[in-house]
Each structure stands twice: as C-alpha cells, then as structure tokens.
Amino acid sequence: MTPLGERLAREIAATGPIPLARYMAECLAHYYGSRDPLGRAGDFVTAPEVSQVFGELIGLWAAELWMRAGSPPKLRLVELGPGRGTLMADLWRAVTRVPGFHAAASVHLVETSPTLRRMQAAQVPQAVWHDRIDEVPDDAPLLLVANEFFDALPIRQFVRTEAGWRERMVAFADGRFFAAAGPLPADPLIPPSLVAAPPGSVVELAPAAGAVTAEIGARLAAHGGAALIVDYGYAGPATGDTLQAVQAHAFADPFAAPGEADLTAHVDFGALRIAARPATAWGPIPQGALLTALGIEARTATLAARATSDQAALLRSGTARLTGDDAMGSLFKALALTGGDWPQPAGFA
Ligand code: SAH
C-alpha cells in the first residue's frame, strides 16, 4: 500500500467512505507532484510530445485570431497544465515573425507540480507561474490553451440503483479500495434527460472543470480573447463510466495504487459549453479535422523536405498519429471559446 493509500484507508475507517472527487484530487496531487509522467519512460504521451507541429499550428491559430481581432497591444497568453512546456515553446517559436505578437503577449503557466514547473522553466524561461487561473491578472484579452488538462480534474460519479440515484463513494475493506454507492438520494443532481436511465447507469459531473471554464468564460466576456481546449471526451449529457487509470502506457485499476497511476475522466464538452457562458462556444470538432484545416499536411511536408530521412519519417508518423481516426484524430476533440468582439476562430467553420 502507498503512504497516500494508508492515509486514505485510515480516514475511511474513521469517518466512512469518501467522495470519488476527493479520492481523485488526493491521488492526482500526489501523482503529478512527484514525477514527470510524460514520454516513453513515463505513463503516457501527449500531442505536443508526439510532434512539434501540434504546438506550431496552435500558435499560428492563436496569432491569426489575435490579428483579426485588431492585434490588441496587450495580451495574457495562458496555458493550463503545460506538462513539459513543449506546446508553449513550439507555439512561441512559431509566432516569432508575427508582427507585434511577442511584444504584446505575457506568458502565464498554470501548473501545480513543482517537478513540471522546473521542466517548463527550461523551455519557457519568460513565463510567470500560477497555481490557479484566478491568479492570472485579469486586465487584458486572454488567449488560453489547454491540452489534456481538463481530463486531469476530479469528477463526481453517480450510479442509478434500484432505490434511485446515489453518489459513488470510495470505500475500503479487506485491504483494498473500491467504489460503493453512498446512502443519500442524489436524483436532483442528475441532468433531467438522464434521470430515467436504467439501474447500473453512471453519470459524471465535473465541478472543477465547470468552475475553471466559468472563470475563462467570464474573462473572455469582460476583456475579449479566445481559448482552445483539446482533450478526449464527448458532448454530453450522456451516461457512462469514463474514470480510468493509466500506468506505464497501459490501463490499470484506479483503486489499486492511490497516487501512483494517472487518473483521468473523459471531458464533457457539452457541460463546458454551458459553463463558458456568456462566452461563445465553437465545436467541439475532432482534433484531426482542426489540424487538417490548419494545414498540418503542408506544414509537415515543408519540415520533412529540410529534415534527414529519419526525421522526415518521424514527422510523417507523428502527423498520422495526431490526425488518424484510428489514433488521436477523432477521440480527441477541440472546443474553442471566444468573447468580446473576437471573431470566429479558424478551423471552426
Ligand atoms: N498539456 C501537457 C500536459 C498534460 S498532463 C501536454 O499536453 O503534454 C496534465 C498537466 O496538468 C500536468 O502539467 C499537470 O501537472 C497539470 N495539472 C494537473 N492538475 C492540475 C491542477 N489542478 N492545477 C494545475 N495544473 C494541473
């Protein structure tokens, strides 16, 4: 048992099962705070780590939108959960020649992990760090990106029992953690379209994701700007248990080793669209469709033409992985948000 597991087991023995969101928050804080989870030697690989083209195209998407918004002279360029800092480094390099962009943008990274902050500082030395988006100054248009951030936020789960809806709690007995229905009726928390789902159905709510998105939406409405949220997910409301644990590139039991596996849930983009009001929501559209509309094929060909044959092969396989329907192209989706008088973003026709 991990030290975190022992602490949670003692707490459950003393006061009873804890909400799943609480369990996830404790596990995720320990997990991200104690390691670099990314890359081949870690637990999972993300789009910016697959290919530099991902961050470059997002940079050009952002800068082109900023120009069509009239090139406002001051801009808060924010990334949520920047991992190794690769996306922001690729984005920043790609927009070097966009007149005025570097001068206008101040870079803010929202990151809780000290380990990852150190890696980000090596890639993006000009950045300022924050624990929460609320700490980023709210005084200028916001240009925000978040890749695989929202899936790492704690969720609540509800299960339909014969007696109605109950919150799913984390219990502990006989040396192991497991999910168990709580004692209190939870029917009022279930979206009306799902209340009649058959026994055994699971509904997820993501209060933390909703709160972050509401903050983004309020800032976009107040000062203008845009956000691009990329993640795996669905456009809810829908039933389904999407809680998953990943360790060393394989699925694991979310309750087996608290704090040692990456815990995630699929993102409900329908809920994020609502939480972002009064900002305007565009999409979600498949990641493959967005990258194709932004010219990933041409960009890949340009880079491959001046690369060694090994590098060119890596660039082409990276692009196939980012856009392929059998890889990341349709599982991952992109949601854009805009506010103020910022126009329709490229790729979201
Ligand atoms: N965007 C990166 C990393 C994704 S992993 C990429 O695509 O490679 C999730 C990231 O979010 C990590 O950097 C993790 O430390 C950070 N993170 C997780 N929960 C967080 C929270 N509650 N607040 C701030 N950052 C968080």
Side-chain angles (χ1 to χ4, degrees), residues 42-308:
D43 291 321
F44 57 91
V45 175
T46 56
E49 304 298 331
V50 167
S51 172
Q52 69 186 75
V53 177
F54 186 76
E56 291 173 353
L57 290 177
I58 289 179
L60 295 171
W61 175 91
E64 189 270 343
L65 191 55
W66 171 77
M67 285 193 289
R68 276 194 288 124
S71 305
K74 189 173 171 189
L75 186 66
R76 299 289 177 186
L77 178 60
V78 178
E79 183 174 1
L80 306 181
R84 291 178 168 174
T86 308
L87 194 166
M88 186 57 81
D90 291 339
L91 179 163
W92 190 256
R93 190 185 61 250
V95 299
T96 301
R97 281 197 284 274
V98 175
F101 189 89
H102 274 191
S106 55
V107 179
H108 298 266
L109 302 181
V110 176
E111 173 63 65
T112 42
S113 161
T115 310
L116 290 174
R117 277 191 183 197
R118 276 193 295 278
M119 300 186 77
Q120 292 156 16
Q123 298 293 325
V124 194
Q126 76 276 30
V128 180
W129 279 264
H130 311 270
D131 283 325
R132 301 156 49 92
I133 186 179
D134 321 42
E135 296 167 3
V136 177
D138 185 15
D139 56 0
L142 171 70
L143 202 39
L144 178 142
V145 295
N147 184 64
E148 286 208 48
F149 170 76
F150 283 86
D151 67 68
L153 299 179
I155 57 159
R156 298 175 73 178
Q157 279 189 339
F158 301 87
V159 60
R160 172 84 195 271
T161 69
E162 297 294 345
W165 290 89
R166 298 285 186 271
E167 180 151 17
R168 260 200 170 164
M169 313 292 282
V170 179
F172 182 83
D174 300 329
R176 61 183 193 95
F177 293 92
F178 56 96
L184 302 176
D187 296 53
L189 298 176
I190 306 304
S193 61
L194 304 177
V195 160
S201 302
V202 171
V203 164
E204 299 179 340
L205 298 180
V212 171
T213 309
E215 177 68 25
I216 295 169
R219 287 174 178 229
L220 294 176
H223 300 289
L228 184 66
I229 297 169
V230 182
D231 225 309
Y232 42 87
Y234 57 100
T239 58
D241 175 0
T242 75
L243 176 67
Q244 65 185 32
V246 167
Q247 208 168 1
H249 305 273
F251 289 111
D253 174 357
F255 302 114
E260 298 305 316
D262 184 35
L263 290 187
T264 67
H266 286 217
V267 173
D268 180 353
F269 286 104
L272 297 194
R273 284 179 61 101
I274 294 169
R277 288 174 189 163
T280 307
W282 310 84
I285 61 171
Q287 170 175 298
L290 176 64
L291 295 177
T292 301
L294 298 182
I296 192 168
E297 295 301 337
R299 177 69 189 150
T300 306
T302 305
L303 288 171
R306 21 178 229 250
T308 66

